Amino acid sequence: MFHLNVRHLLLQQRISSLTDIAFNPEMGWTSCIILFLCVSVCESWPLPDTEPLMHGVVQSPQYPQPYPPNLQEQWDLSVPEGYQIRLTFTHLDIEASAGCYYDALTVLYDTNILGKFCGHENLADGHHPGNQPILSPGNRLTLMFQSDDNNPERHQNVGFSAQYQAIDMDECSAPEPEDGSGPLCSQICFNTLGSYLCSCHHGYELRADQRSCVLSCGGGIFDETEGHLFSPGYPNPPHHAVSCQYIISVESGFTVVLNFTDNFHIESMDTEQGPNCLHHWLQVTTSDREPMKLCGGKSPGLIVTNSNTVRLDYHTDNEGLSKGWSLDYSTYRVKCPLPGNVAKGRVTPILTEYFYRDYIYVRCDQGYKLMMGGQEVEGFSTMCQSSGQWHLPLPECHIIDCGEPEPLLNGGLTFLSGFQYQYRSVVQYHCNEPFYSLLGGITVVFTCEADRKWRSNSDIVVSPTCIPVCGQPTKLISAYQRIIGGSHAPEDTIPWQVLLNIDGGRGGGMVIGDRWIMTAAHNVMNKGNQVSEETVRIYMGLTDVKTQLDSPVYAASVHVHPEYNNPINVDYNHDIALIKLQDPITFNSSIMPICLPAEGATYITGVMGLVSGFGVTETGGRRILTNKMNYVQLPVVEQETCSKSITSLKKTRDNVPSLSNNMFCAGVPEGGQDSCQGDSGGPYALRDNGRFWAAGIVSWGVDCGKQGTYGVYTRVTNYMDWINKTMQEN
Ligand SMILES: *[C@@H]1O[C@H](CO)[C@@H](O)[C@H](O)[C@H]1NC(C)=O
Ligand SMILES: *[C@@H]1O[C@H](CO)[C@@H](O)[C@H](O)[C@H]1NC(C)=O
Ligand SMILES: *[C@@H]1O[C@H](CO)[C@@H](O)[C@H](O)[C@H]1NC(C)=O
């Protein structure tokens, strides 16, 4: 039971210091002790089979009768550990002999004889213990009693009676063992019943050996954002060697700064290389740096560790003297490098320093886009990480471009400023002059805007269009001559003239649009039926039939005026037809359209018009079909005059067609100049304001160039509605 109590005391002492060792690596040991405590208190301590007695009585045999002879008796007394035995004789009467040779009581501790007794207290020559008790050095004691065989009747000695008692041993006052193992307790020793306890002075703590004391280092983990640390006993030097560890550990993303006070002293050895922290040192260890050993008499001052975990190991040995150190530590958010600038962009917010968890954003200037790793990104932000690095590198701002502007048919564009269709580039559309001009005639400038679209300078022109220039050949005929009595047309002077080959028959026509040819209805009618468009071949751009025949243009559809009805060639009213081409024509100096009549265009008698064709010409009095384009200038004839000439013709001939208001005449009364067969469908062009317009279509006549007759032409101005409608609907 005493053992148990003692242990219990020990445990309480350990437990009371548990809070101090909360972060102690001996944690496991501590919990083991707690478990042990539980076992020892909650369950009954298993008692040994023979519980050591705490006291007792030893008597010689037959006491208080005289002891018999020839005895050899032994008593092994024992008491619990940590106790001594005190033996006190109440009576001793043993036959006396020199040196207690015959009868004797011997008291032994192991093999050490503590006393050999005989005689009785009144006998001078005996060895009587008297009243003095005998103390055993340990918890055992052996008593041996012997008697010999002579004269038992004469000697009536009663033997002995002794009491023994367990006496608590004062381990603390025991002398220091001579084996050099040091004192029982290095600092304070408490004697307890059957045992002892070591304890330490303030500022020290008991080591695991339960004997020695070490300076309490106040170690453990410091996880507050700031704190104060100092060496044991600071500012006084400790009496003993110390080996202390302090760990400062804060959240990642924070960095610890140590601020040592001026009063700093750690013994250093002077070597040739300067002070050396050989025996005493304070080592500062961070995760990513070489450990740093500090010593000497000068305070290191401020140490920026750039780490969120710092370990301090303070080491001194028993020699030398270090007064120690003290420091305040504080923590800062990890700093990221300044992000720098982005060309053509803006980094926000602008701060003098950026710390862990700070965000920055990048926006590009107007007209620039965010690029990361070659990819365009919608937006950009990056955070300062706990590592002190931005989690993304800065993006770049690249100028936007609007892509290639819409191409312009029969036109193009030029850069007025900028290049590669980039932001703020300005392009101007133009048409291929002089064959095309911009619809509306205004200059169209497009700018690449920040929304990556090309924007027009004009609200009206959303997309430019090139329209063909009509009626303005690049070359003009200087002197007009005649077809019958006309002349070969120089190249490019009548670029709207086309040659039709329909079922082998030859006719004329004129270009009025990039897909349209206008001709006479009778060219595309055969015995009252419209010819199939497959039989139509159109030649244009050259003045010589021979060269033209290589490259015909094909018709997509043929449109005869619906009222044209001339099965037997006596009624040329509405002699007008349109041919739609399969492919649009690109105009150039050889092929250009003639203008259609403007609203209100008039035929003024006597005004010269230009007739052209590949028809019959007169050469040296013979009429032959020409292979060259010919032209003649003929005046508009008054309708009345023409009508009279036809009326008079009708008198002499049969089947002379009638003149209608959809026709007009051109020619000279004396004859000699006219259009003729093969010229049918060709143009009669009047010129207004420098532009030729299609006033008439070569339709019919009686003979060619005969005196008193005129050529009759379809009056195109009467058909504008039909022309517009047909061209729109097809
Ligand atoms: C370091 O501590 C001293 C006082 O010991 C104080 O005056 C000083 O401002 C501290 N330095 C920093 C950076 O905290
Ligand atoms: C005009 O265009 C036609 C057809 O595309 C072509 O054959 C001719 O060579 C061109 N003429 C000129 C002068 O470019
Ligand atoms: C026919 O179209 C032209 C050009 O598109 C226009 O100038 C003219 O007024 C139109 N004529 C009629 C009668 O609709």
Coordinates of all heavy atoms in Angstrom, one line a residue, residues 4-21 26 29-30 33-34 36-37 185 187-190 192 196-214:
L4 N 2.1 2.1 -3.4 CA 1.0 2.7 -4.3 C 0.8 4.1 -4.0 O 0.8 5.0 -4.9 CB -0.3 1.9 -3.9 CG -1.5 2.4 -4.7 CD1 -1.3 2.2 -6.2 CD2 -2.7 1.6 -4.3
N5 N 0.8 4.5 -2.7 CA 0.7 5.9 -2.4 C 1.8 6.7 -2.9 O 1.6 7.8 -3.4 CB 0.6 6.0 -0.8 CG -0.7 5.6 -0.3 OD1 -1.7 5.6 -1.0 ND2 -0.8 5.3 1.0
V6 N 2.9 6.2 -2.8 CA 4.1 6.9 -3.3 C 3.9 7.2 -4.8 O 4.1 8.3 -5.2 CB 5.4 6.2 -3.0 CG1 6.5 6.8 -3.8 CG2 5.6 6.2 -1.5
R7 N 3.6 6.2 -5.5 CA 3.5 6.4 -6.9 C 2.4 7.4 -7.2 O 2.5 8.2 -8.1 CB 3.1 5.1 -7.6 CG 4.2 4.1 -7.6 CD 4.0 3.1 -8.8 NE 5.0 2.1 -8.7 CZ 5.9 1.9 -9.6 NH1 5.9 2.7 -10.6 NH2 6.8 1.0 -9.5
H8 N 1.4 7.3 -6.5 CA 0.2 8.2 -6.7 C 0.7 9.7 -6.5 O 0.4 10.5 -7.3 CB -0.9 7.9 -5.7 CG -2.1 8.7 -5.9 ND1 -2.9 8.4 -7.0 CD2 -2.7 9.7 -5.3 CE1 -3.9 9.3 -7.0 NE2 -3.8 10.1 -5.9
L9 N 1.5 9.9 -5.6 CA 2.1 11.2 -5.3 C 2.9 11.7 -6.6 O 2.8 12.8 -7.1 CB 3.0 11.2 -4.1 CG 2.3 11.5 -2.8 CD1 3.2 11.3 -1.6 CD2 1.7 12.9 -2.8
L10 N 3.7 10.7 -7.0 CA 4.6 11.0 -8.1 C 3.7 11.4 -9.3 O 4.0 12.4 -10.0 CB 5.3 9.8 -8.5 CG 6.8 9.7 -8.0 CD1 7.3 8.3 -8.2 CD2 7.6 10.7 -8.7
L11 N 2.7 10.7 -9.5 CA 1.8 11.0 -10.7 C 1.2 12.3 -10.6 O 1.2 13.1 -11.5 CB 0.7 9.9 -10.8 CG 1.3 8.6 -11.1 CD1 0.2 7.5 -11.0 CD2 1.7 8.6 -12.6
Q12 N 0.7 12.7 -9.4 CA 0.1 14.0 -9.3 C 1.1 15.1 -9.6 O 0.7 16.0 -10.3 CB -0.4 14.2 -7.8 CG -1.5 13.2 -7.5 CD -2.6 13.9 -6.9 OE1 -2.4 14.7 -6.0 NE2 -3.8 13.6 -7.3
Q13 N 2.3 14.9 -9.2 CA 3.3 15.9 -9.6 C 3.5 16.0 -11.1 O 3.5 17.1 -11.6 CB 4.6 15.5 -8.9 CG 5.5 16.7 -8.8 CD 6.8 16.5 -9.6 OE1 7.0 15.4 -10.0 NE2 7.5 17.5 -9.8
R14 N 3.5 14.9 -11.7 CA 3.6 14.9 -13.2 C 2.4 15.6 -13.8 O 2.5 16.4 -14.7 CB 3.8 13.5 -13.7 CG 5.1 12.8 -13.3 CD 6.3 13.6 -13.8 NE 6.3 13.8 -15.2 CZ 7.3 14.5 -15.8 NH1 8.2 15.1 -15.1 NH2 7.3 14.6 -17.1
I15 N 1.3 15.2 -13.3 CA 0.1 15.7 -14.0 C -0.1 17.2 -13.8 O -0.5 17.9 -14.7 CB -1.1 14.9 -13.4 CG1 -1.1 13.5 -13.9 CG2 -2.4 15.5 -13.9 CD1 -1.9 12.5 -13.1
S16 N 0.3 17.7 -12.7 CA 0.2 19.1 -12.5 C 1.0 19.9 -13.5 O 0.7 21.0 -13.8 CB 0.6 19.5 -11.1 OG 2.0 19.3 -10.9
S17 N 2.0 19.3 -14.1 CA 2.8 20.0 -15.0 C 2.4 19.6 -16.5 O 3.1 20.0 -17.4 CB 4.3 19.7 -14.8 OG 4.5 18.3 -15.0
L18 N 1.3 18.9 -16.6 CA 0.9 18.5 -17.9 C 0.7 19.7 -18.9 O 1.1 19.7 -20.0 CB -0.4 17.7 -17.9 CG -0.3 16.2 -17.9 CD1 -1.7 15.6 -17.9 CD2 0.5 15.8 -19.1
T19 N 0.0 20.7 -18.4 CA -0.2 21.9 -19.2 C 1.0 22.5 -19.8 O 1.1 22.9 -20.9 CB -1.0 23.0 -18.5 OG1 -0.3 23.1 -17.2 CG2 -2.4 22.6 -18.3
D20 N 2.1 22.4 -19.0 CA 3.4 22.9 -19.5 C 4.0 22.1 -20.6 O 4.8 22.6 -21.3 CB 4.3 23.0 -18.3 CG 3.9 23.9 -17.3 OD1 3.2 24.9 -17.6 OD2 4.2 23.7 -16.1
I21 N 3.6 20.9 -20.7 CA 4.2 20.0 -21.7 C 3.2 19.6 -22.8 O 3.3 18.6 -23.4 CB 4.8 18.8 -21.1 CG1 3.8 18.0 -20.2 CG2 6.0 19.2 -20.2 CD1 4.3 16.7 -19.8
E26 N 7.2 14.3 -25.5 CA 7.0 13.1 -24.5 C 5.5 12.9 -24.3 O 5.1 12.2 -23.4 CB 7.6 13.4 -23.2 CG 9.1 13.5 -23.2 CD 9.7 14.0 -21.9 OE1 9.0 14.1 -21.0 OE2 10.9 14.2 -21.9
W29 N 4.4 9.4 -23.6 CA 4.8 9.0 -22.3 C 3.8 9.5 -21.3 O 3.4 8.7 -20.4 CB 6.2 9.5 -22.0 CG 6.7 9.2 -20.7 CD1 7.3 8.1 -20.2 CD2 6.6 10.1 -19.5 NE1 7.6 8.2 -18.9 CE2 7.2 9.4 -18.5 CE3 6.1 11.4 -19.3 CZ2 7.3 10.0 -17.2 CZ3 6.2 11.9 -18.1 CH2 6.8 11.3 -17.0
T30 N 3.4 10.7 -21.5 CA 2.4 11.3 -20.5 C 1.1 10.5 -20.5 O 0.6 10.1 -19.5 CB 2.1 12.8 -20.9 OG1 3.4 13.4 -21.0 CG2 1.3 13.4 -19.8
I33 N 1.3 7.4 -18.7 CA 1.2 7.6 -17.2 C -0.2 7.7 -16.8 O -0.7 7.1 -15.8 CB 2.0 8.8 -16.8 CG1 3.5 8.6 -16.9 CG2 1.7 9.2 -15.4 CD1 4.0 7.5 -16.0
I34 N -1.0 8.5 -17.6 CA -2.4 8.6 -17.2 C -3.1 7.3 -17.2 O -3.8 6.9 -16.3 CB -3.1 9.6 -18.2 CG1 -2.5 11.0 -18.0 CG2 -4.6 9.6 -18.0 CD1 -2.9 12.0 -19.2
F36 N -1.8 4.5 -16.7 CA -1.2 3.8 -15.6 C -1.9 4.2 -14.3 O -2.3 3.4 -13.5 CB 0.3 4.0 -15.5 CG 0.9 3.4 -14.3 CD1 1.1 2.0 -14.3 CD2 1.3 4.2 -13.2 CE1 1.7 1.4 -13.2 CE2 1.8 3.6 -12.1 CZ 2.1 2.2 -12.1
L37 N -2.1 5.5 -14.2 CA -2.8 6.0 -13.0 C -4.2 5.4 -12.9 O -4.6 4.9 -11.9 CB -2.9 7.5 -13.1 CG -3.8 8.2 -12.1 CD1 -3.1 8.2 -10.7 CD2 -4.1 9.6 -12.5
C185 N 19.0 13.3 -6.2 CA 18.3 14.3 -6.9 C 19.2 15.4 -7.2 O 19.9 15.9 -6.3 CB 17.1 14.8 -6.0 SG 15.9 13.6 -5.7
Q187 N 18.5 18.5 -7.7 CA 18.3 19.8 -7.1 C 17.6 19.6 -5.7 O 18.2 19.8 -4.7 CB 17.4 20.7 -8.0 CG 18.3 21.2 -9.1 CD 17.5 22.3 -9.9 OE1 16.3 22.6 -9.7 NE2 18.2 22.9 -10.9
I188 N 16.4 19.1 -5.7 CA 15.7 19.0 -4.4 C 15.2 17.6 -4.2 O 14.7 17.0 -5.1 CB 14.4 20.0 -4.4 CG1 14.9 21.4 -4.6 CG2 13.7 19.8 -3.0 CD1 13.8 22.4 -4.9
C189 N 15.4 17.1 -2.9 CA 15.0 15.7 -2.6 C 14.0 15.8 -1.4 O 14.2 16.5 -0.4 CB 16.3 15.0 -2.2 SG 15.9 13.2 -1.9
F190 N 12.9 15.1 -1.7 CA 11.9 15.0 -0.6 C 11.9 13.5 -0.2 O 11.7 12.7 -1.0 CB 10.5 15.3 -1.1 CG 10.3 16.8 -1.4 CD1 10.0 17.2 -2.7 CD2 10.3 17.7 -0.4 CE1 9.8 18.5 -3.0 CE2 10.1 19.0 -0.6 CZ 9.8 19.4 -1.9
T192 N 10.0 10.5 1.4 CA 8.6 10.1 1.6 C 8.6 8.7 2.3 O 9.7 8.1 2.4 CB 7.9 9.9 0.3 OG1 8.6 8.9 -0.5 CG2 7.9 11.2 -0.5
Y196 N 11.3 8.4 -2.0 CA 11.7 9.8 -2.0 C 11.3 10.4 -3.3 O 10.9 9.7 -4.2 CB 13.3 9.9 -1.9 CG 14.0 9.4 -3.1 CD1 14.4 10.2 -4.2 CD2 14.2 8.0 -3.3 CE1 15.1 9.7 -5.3 CE2 14.8 7.5 -4.4 CZ 15.2 8.3 -5.4 OH 15.8 7.8 -6.5
L197 N 11.3 11.7 -3.4 CA 10.9 12.4 -4.7 C 11.9 13.4 -5.0 O 12.3 14.1 -4.1 CB 9.5 13.1 -4.4 CG 8.3 12.4 -4.7 CD1 7.1 13.3 -4.3 CD2 8.2 12.0 -6.2
C198 N 12.2 13.5 -6.3 CA 13.1 14.6 -6.7 C 12.2 15.7 -7.3 O 11.2 15.5 -7.9 CB 14.1 14.2 -7.8 SG 15.2 12.9 -7.2
S199 N 12.6 16.9 -7.0 CA 11.9 18.1 -7.7 C 12.9 19.1 -8.0 O 14.1 19.0 -7.7 CB 10.8 18.5 -6.8 OG 11.1 19.7 -6.1
C200 N 12.4 20.1 -8.8 CA 13.4 21.1 -9.3 C 13.0 22.5 -8.9 O 11.9 22.8 -8.5 CB 13.4 21.1 -10.9 SG 13.8 19.5 -11.5
H201 N 14.1 23.4 -8.9 CA 13.8 24.8 -8.6 C 13.0 25.4 -9.7 O 12.8 24.9 -10.8 CB 15.2 25.5 -8.5 CG 16.1 25.0 -7.5 ND1 15.7 25.1 -6.1 CD2 17.3 24.5 -7.5 CE1 16.7 24.6 -5.4 NE2 17.7 24.2 -6.2
H202 N 12.4 26.6 -9.4 CA 11.6 27.3 -10.3 C 12.4 27.6 -11.6 O 13.6 27.9 -11.6 CB 11.2 28.6 -9.7 CG 10.4 29.5 -10.7 ND1 9.1 29.2 -11.1 CD2 10.7 30.6 -11.4 CE1 8.7 30.1 -11.9 NE2 9.7 30.9 -12.2
G203 N 11.8 27.3 -12.7 CA 12.4 27.6 -14.0 C 13.1 26.3 -14.6 O 13.7 26.4 -15.6
Y204 N 13.0 25.3 -13.8 CA 13.6 24.0 -14.2 C 12.5 23.0 -14.3 O 11.5 23.1 -13.6 CB 14.7 23.6 -13.3 CG 15.9 24.5 -13.3 CD1 15.9 25.7 -12.6 CD2 17.0 24.1 -14.1 CE1 17.0 26.5 -12.6 CE2 18.1 24.9 -14.1 CZ 18.1 26.1 -13.4 OH 19.2 26.9 -13.4
E205 N 12.8 21.9 -15.0 CA 11.8 20.8 -14.9 C 12.6 19.5 -14.8 O 13.7 19.4 -15.3 CB 10.9 20.9 -16.1 CG 11.6 20.9 -17.5 CD 10.6 21.1 -18.6 OE1 9.7 22.0 -18.4 OE2 10.7 20.4 -19.6
L206 N 11.9 18.6 -14.3 CA 12.4 17.2 -14.0 C 12.5 16.5 -15.3 O 11.6 16.5 -16.2 CB 11.5 16.5 -13.1 CG 12.1 15.3 -12.3 CD1 13.3 15.8 -11.4 CD2 11.0 14.7 -11.4
R207 N 13.7 15.9 -15.5 CA 13.8 15.1 -16.7 C 13.1 13.7 -16.6 O 12.6 13.4 -15.5 CB 15.3 14.8 -16.9 CG 16.1 15.9 -17.6 CD 17.3 15.3 -18.3 NE 18.0 16.3 -19.1 CZ 19.3 16.6 -18.9 NH1 20.0 15.9 -18.0 NH2 19.9 17.5 -19.6
A208 N 13.2 13.0 -17.6 CA 12.5 11.7 -17.6 C 13.1 10.7 -16.6 O 12.4 9.8 -16.1 CB 12.6 11.1 -19.0
D209 N 14.4 10.9 -16.3 CA 15.0 10.0 -15.3 C 14.5 10.3 -13.9 O 14.9 9.6 -13.0 CB 16.5 10.2 -15.4 CG 17.0 11.5 -14.9 OD1 16.2 12.4 -14.5 OD2 18.2 11.8 -15.0
Q210 N 13.6 11.3 -13.7 CA 13.0 11.6 -12.4 C 14.1 12.1 -11.4 O 13.8 12.1 -10.2 CB 12.2 10.4 -11.8 CG 11.1 9.9 -12.8 CD 10.0 10.9 -13.0 OE1 9.8 11.8 -12.1 NE2 9.4 10.9 -14.2
R211 N 15.2 12.3 -11.8 CA 16.3 12.7 -10.9 C 16.8 14.1 -11.2 O 17.0 14.9 -10.3 CB 17.4 11.7 -11.0 CG 17.2 10.4 -10.4 CD 18.4 9.5 -10.5 NE 19.6 10.1 -9.9 CZ 20.9 9.8 -10.2 NH1 21.1 8.9 -11.1 NH2 21.8 10.4 -9.6
S212 N 17.2 14.3 -12.5 CA 17.9 15.5 -12.8 C 16.9 16.5 -13.3 O 15.9 16.2 -13.8 CB 19.0 15.2 -13.8 OG 18.5 14.4 -14.9
C213 N 17.4 17.8 -13.3 CA 16.6 18.9 -13.7 C 17.2 19.6 -14.9 O 18.4 19.6 -15.0 CB 16.5 19.9 -12.6 SG 15.6 19.2 -11.1
V214 N 16.4 20.1 -15.8 CA 16.9 20.9 -16.9 C 16.1 22.2 -16.9 O 15.0 22.2 -16.3 CB 16.7 20.2 -18.3 CG1 17.7 19.1 -18.5 CG2 15.3 19.8 -18.5

